[in-house]
């Protein structure tokens, strides 16, 4: 088959069919197996959404109870893994510690190489459950604290927030953390899902594929933007200053974190949902500073770049929400990774149903064939 040209960044290049999710970039809509994220955020929970993504349908009551139970039972991490992670350099990035943790989980999981459908599904559940415990644990280790034991009385997201902060969340905090996991669970084929899929397409194992996804998500153009967006918001003292900041950055051709998207050409629907929870949380904390500065940056950016279809993405408002939940910014992208593990795995399981090694080409623009010249003649 002849090469037709270079699709830089794989812009708009589909590499698989899927029923798992779809994005309407023009209308700013995101659907998981046909259900809008707005409805899922309001009425569902991360356990049910994970079942939906893995099985491509909503569970019955019995199935949801059984699936939630399986997730809850798999939350613990072998002590040998904590003791290895404890020896990693304290200053190393949390995403690197998380990646190492996932690789270690694979090393300690005797079923990691099993390839039958049932084994792959139980490995998926182990990864989705344990990755949240890993994030909370490496976060606490970095603070010189011991990882906390999971609380079987809390759902996945609330238990994560408890294990990270040491405090049992209230109703609003629990709801916000659960919505956080739902909104970060899946997003078709961004760089991280594509990286995970490439590894899986070689018939490597799920742990290696998830580890590749974490590596891709770490980058500031992808998952790392939530941390940098909050740094930006916290560096601005007043909403008035926000305008000057944006104009200065744009004049220097620097990108504003939390804005723009390869697919959305209007508001990222997840940003709008996070914004509504930020308003509630700011009210509860009696602290509206980050909200007001984010709002001002949003209005200036839309005035300046709306015509170029640059609008807020999920990362503009997720950072301030995490901050008001009492989480330090270095855990933001690891939270994204923990939630997105189910999306990565859902696409892999679907692709394995009709696997094909992913092997693109390059257009050669180098010199034609020529003879080797010995070094003493050059
Ligand atoms: C996520 O893909 C996904 O689904 C990812 C994600 C998911 O859920 O998995 O949605 C999560 O990663 C959201 C994106 C988080 N990243 C950021 O917020 C970083 C800042 N955003 C930009 O780097 C950028 O918008 C991208 C990378 C997100 C998308 O950019 P593209 O599609 O590669 O477009 P581009 O960089 O070629 O920009 C096109 C034009 C350029 O201007 P010109 O050179 O044409 O004059 O738009 C400008 C860019 O300079 N532009 C921006 C901008 N984003 C694009 N200008 C200022 N600030 C920005 N944020």
């Amino acid at each position: 088959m002849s090469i037709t040209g270079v699709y830089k960044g794989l812009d708009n290049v589909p590499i698989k069919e899927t029923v798992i999710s779809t994005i309407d970039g023009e209308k700013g809509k995101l659907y998981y197996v046909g259900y809008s994220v707005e409805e899922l955020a309001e009425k569902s929970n991360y356990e049910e959404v994970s079942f939906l993504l893995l099985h491509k349908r909503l569970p019955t009551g019995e199935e949801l109870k059984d699936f939630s139970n399986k997730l809850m039972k798999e939350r613990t991490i072998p002590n040998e893994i904590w003791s290895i992670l404890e020896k990693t350099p304290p200053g190393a990035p949390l995403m690197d510690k998380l990646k190492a943790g996932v690789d270690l989980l694979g090393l300690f999981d005797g079923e990691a190489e099993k390839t039958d459908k049932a084994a792959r599904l139980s490995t998926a559940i182990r990864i989705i459950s344990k990755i949240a415990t890993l994030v909370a644990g490496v976060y606490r280790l970095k603070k010189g604290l011991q990882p906390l034991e999971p609380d079987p009385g809390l759902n996945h997201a609330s238990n994560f927030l408890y294990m990270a902060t040491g405090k049992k969340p209230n109703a609003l905090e629990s709801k916000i953390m659960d919505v956080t996991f739902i909104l970060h669970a899946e997003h078709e084929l961004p760089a991280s899902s594509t990286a995970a899929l490439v590894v899986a397409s070689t018939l490597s194992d799920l742990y290696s594929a998830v580890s590749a996804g974490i590596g891709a998500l770490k980058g500031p153009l992808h998952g790392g933007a939530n941390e940098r967006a909050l740094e930006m918001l916290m560096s601005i003292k007043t909403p008035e200053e926000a305008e000057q900041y944006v104009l200065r950055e744009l004049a220097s051709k620097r990108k504003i974190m939390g804005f723009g998207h390869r697919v959305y050409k209007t508001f990222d629907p997840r940003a709008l949902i996070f914004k509504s929870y930020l308003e509630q949380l700011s009210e509860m904390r009696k602290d509206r500073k980050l909200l007001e500065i984010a709002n001002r940056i949003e209005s200036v950016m839309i005035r300046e770049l709306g015509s170029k279809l640059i609008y807020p993405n999920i990362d503009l408002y997720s950072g301030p929400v995490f901050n008001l939940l009492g989480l330090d910014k270095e855990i933001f992208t690891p939270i994204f990774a923990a939630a997105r593990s189910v999306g990565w795995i859902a696409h892999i399981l679907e692709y394995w149903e009709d696997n094909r090694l992913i092997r693109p080409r390059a257009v050669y623009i180098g010199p034609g064939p020529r003879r080797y010249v010995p070094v003493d003649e050059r």
Side-chain angles (χ1 to χ4, degrees):
M1 191 198 299
S2 70
I3 298 180
T4 53
V6 171
Y7 297 87
K8 199 146 172 56
L10 287 181
D11 282 14
N12 286 324
V13 174
I15 59 168
K16 74 181 284 232
E17 291 181 339
T18 187
V19 303
I20 293 168
S21 71
T22 187
I23 304 168
D24 181 334
E26 303 305 320
K27 297 200 183 83
K29 293 296 286 179
L30 169 60
Y31 300 92
Y32 294 169
V33 202
Y35 300 97
S36 75
V37 283
E38 289 87 351
E39 262 214 295
L40 292 171
E42 187 195 335
K43 300 172 183 165
S44 187
N45 58 54
Y46 185 70
E47 285 83 346
E48 184 172 67
V49 165
S50 295
F51 185 101
L52 170 66
L53 295 172
L54 292 173
H55 297 280
K56 304 171 200 165
R57 64 176 174 83
L58 286 173
T60 61
E62 255 325 286
E63 287 170 326
L64 178 58
K65 216 162 95 218
D66 173 53
F67 184 80
S68 304
N69 233 342
K70 282 186 180 136
L71 274 175
M72 189 267 288
K73 287 205 169 71
E74 289 291 359
R75 287 173 180 171
T76 50
I77 301 287
N79 284 330
E80 300 88 330
I81 292 183
W82 287 135
S83 54
I84 296 168
L85 289 172
E86 231 168 352
K87 295 180 182 64
T88 57
L94 274 193
M95 282 294 272
D96 292 354
K97 292 178 186 260
L98 175 61
K99 189 153 46 77
V102 167
D103 289 337
L104 286 165
L105 282 177
L107 281 169
F108 282 80
D109 183 344
E111 315 255 309
E113 305 299 328
K114 282 197 174 165
T115 57
D116 61 276
K117 209 169 160 70
R120 280 172 162 170
L121 208 49
S122 59
T123 304
I125 288 172
R126 277 198 297 285
I127 294 174
I128 293 159
S129 182
K130 293 181 190 308
I131 194 168
T133 307
L134 268 181
V135 169
V138 293
Y139 176 65
R140 286 179 68 83
L141 284 174
K142 189 156 185 172
K143 291 165 168 280
L145 301 168
Q146 280 306 304
L148 293 176
E149 280 305 306
D151 180 337
L154 298 173
N155 72 14
H156 185 79
S158 304
N159 174 61
F160 165 76
L161 190 53
Y162 157 66
M163 288 193 294
T165 63
K167 289 200 295 293
K168 300 279 170 76
N170 67 30
L172 178 63
E173 293 160 342
S174 294
K175 177 62 181 172
I176 290 174
M177 202 69 231
D178 196 42
V179 169
T180 292
F181 270 76
I182 291 172
L183 295 181
H184 284 90
E186 160 58 14
H187 210 243
E188 198 211 67
L189 288 187
S192 54
S193 311
T194 307
L197 205 58
V198 169
V199 169
S201 78
T202 70
L203 299 186
S204 183
D205 66 292
L206 276 176
Y207 289 96
S208 303
V210 168
S211 184
I214 296 170
L217 189 67
K218 175 185 171 187
L221 291 190
H222 185 5
N226 49 23
E227 206 179 316
R228 287 158 187 82
L230 182 73
E231 281 161 6
M232 166 186 74
L233 295 174
M234 295 182 89
S235 70
I236 296 167
K237 301 280 167 296
T238 65
E240 293 62 39
E241 226 185 85
E243 172 124 9
Q244 300 318 314
Y245 171 85
V246 172
L247 297 176
R248 200 171 48 245
E249 291 299 291
L250 294 184
S252 327
K253 281 274 176 220
R254 278 192 292 271
K255 292 187 172 167
I256 308 291
M257 294 293 113
F259 287 86
H261 199 277
R262 179 64 58 81
V263 183
Y264 290 120
K265 298 310 164 198
T266 181
F267 276 88
D268 178 337
R270 304 166 298 176
L272 293 172
I273 297 170
F274 262 113
K275 187 174 176 179
S276 73
Y277 280 107
L278 177 59
E279 279 153 3
Q280 293 178 55
L281 203 47
S282 304
E283 211 34 59
M284 182 167 88
R285 298 278 196 267
K286 300 276 173 272
D287 177 357
R288 296 178 56 83
K289 182 171 179 292
L290 290 173
L291 173 66
E292 283 162 8
I293 287 170
N295 280 339
R296 181 64 70 85
I297 289 194
E298 175 188 311
S299 54
V300 176
M301 276 294 282
I302 292 174
R303 186 190 73 209
E304 296 296 319
L305 290 181
S307 58
K308 286 178 83 170
L309 307 182
I310 308 287
Y311 284 86
N313 62 50
I314 187 168
D315 294 315
L316 177 65
Y317 288 105
S318 57
V321 165
F322 298 156
N323 175 268
L324 290 179
L325 286 176
L327 296 163
D328 298 342
K329 58 184 183 335
E330 64 178 344
I331 198 177
F332 294 0
T333 309
I335 292 173
F336 192 152
R340 185 56 60 87
S341 61
V342 68
W344 293 333
I345 293 172
H347 276 291
I348 289 168
L349 296 182
E350 184 180 56
Y351 194 75
W352 272 342
E353 286 162 20
D354 181 17
N355 189 65
R356 181 153 176 77
L357 176 68
I358 296 172
R359 200 272 184 230
R361 295 295 307 277
V363 172
Y364 181 68
I365 55 170
R370 50 188 170 164
R371 301 202 49 82
Y372 178 80
V373 178
V375 66
D376 46 17
E377 293 173 24
R378 285 178 224 151

